[in-house]
Amino acid sequence: VIFYGDAYLMNPINETNWLEMARDIKQNPVGLMQDKQIGLSGNNKPITELRKVAKEAKLSTELSEKTITWLLNQPDYDEDAIVYKNAIFGYDPRNAKVQQLMHDFWSIYAKEELSWRDQPIWSYLMARERMRPLHLHRKGGKIFGEFGQKGHGGHVYVPQNIPNVPTKPKKKDRFQNLSPVPKFTD
């Protein structure tokens, strides 16, 4: 099992059980563990996401509209498709469904003709294949410092108005509760 996390994320800050999550991913027919994107409401979430990021100047309006047109022209496009958070996920590279999903995704995304935002295309393919990933486990809170953390140029990936979540980790506590990195064996 492979766990991916965007580079802007902090190291694990709690007692995340990576081996338990890996076992769950391998035992699940979908072979994928990923959370839903927060902050999107209503129908047509992939299109909502594209319009939102264009409005926030994180994507050009031209690429946003081109991708929207492409999605709407897909005969199997599902307006109820769930948008997933691609900043953190785990997957089983030996799972046939995951292999097909990755193949289909990269055959579209690598052409660099549509949005560079991967969530709308990923969402379309997940809905098309009726894939519902497991939710990431959280013991005592978040896996990474995803709430209120900023990436390059102050880019914010999640809303900052989440109650009772500090916007910045306290420097003295930042690495206090790190879990040891597990050793994986086959």
Side-chain angles (χ1 to χ4, degrees):
V1 169
I2 298 170
F3 289 97
Y4 170 84
D6 278 358
Y8 76 93
L9 297 169
M10 295 174 5
N11 286 327
I13 59 174
N14 64 2
E15 296 180 14
T16 301
N17 190 332
W18 299 102
L19 293 175
E20 179 183 319
M21 289 194 300
R23 184 196 68 233
D24 290 350
I25 290 168
K26 288 183 91 163
Q27 290 176 354
N28 188 278
V30 173
L32 185 63
M33 185 176 281
Q34 186 174 24
D35 285 340
K36 294 177 185 178
Q37 180 76 8
I38 58 174
L40 298 175
S41 59
N43 294 338
N44 250 334
K45 288 180 179 63
I47 291 173
T48 301
E49 168 72 5
L50 286 162
R51 289 194 172 129
K52 176 178 166 271
V53 295
K55 183 178 177 184
E56 295 169 349
K58 296 177 186 175
L59 177 69
S60 72
T61 302
E62 177 187 345
L63 278 179
S64 174
E65 291 303 319
K66 186 175 183 179
T67 308
I68 288 169
T69 300
W70 182 86
L71 285 169
L72 293 174
N73 284 326
Q74 301 308 303
D76 49 5
Y77 174 70
D78 181 357
E79 290 183 0
D80 296 324
I82 297 168
V83 176
Y84 292 93
K85 189 184 295 188
N86 288 352
I88 307 169
F89 62 94
Y91 65 97
D92 178 0
R94 295 181 180 155
N95 182 294
K97 290 181 181 183
V98 169
Q99 290 174 359
Q100 187 63 52
L101 174 71
M102 296 287 188
H103 176 268
D104 292 349
F105 173 79
W106 285 106
S107 69
I108 297 165
Y109 190 76
K111 291 178 185 175
E112 297 184 358
E113 295 172 350
L114 301 172
S115 168
W116 57 267
R117 301 285 291 195
D118 53 3
Q119 294 94 332
I121 297 167
W122 186 261
S123 171
Y124 156 68
L125 293 169
M126 293 281 283
R128 183 187 77 181
E129 301 304 320
R130 301 187 199 293
M131 293 178 76
R132 295 285 188 258
L134 298 168
H135 294 287
L136 289 163
H137 299 302
R138 287 173 167 79
K139 291 184 178 183
K142 54 197 175 193
I143 292 178
F144 294 94
E146 72 250 41
F147 292 113
Q149 296 299 311
K150 295 184 179 184
H152 56 87
H155 187 92
V156 177
Y157 290 85
V158 295
Q160 290 189 333
N161 59 352
I162 299 170
N164 302 321
V165 176
T167 57
K168 280 189 172 181
K170 295 178 184 175
K171 288 189 181 194
K172 65 178 184 177
D173 296 335
R174 186 172 178 190
F175 299 104
Q176 185 175 351
N177 297 320
L178 288 178
S179 300
V181 178
K183 293 184 175 135
F184 295 96
T185 59
D186 239 3

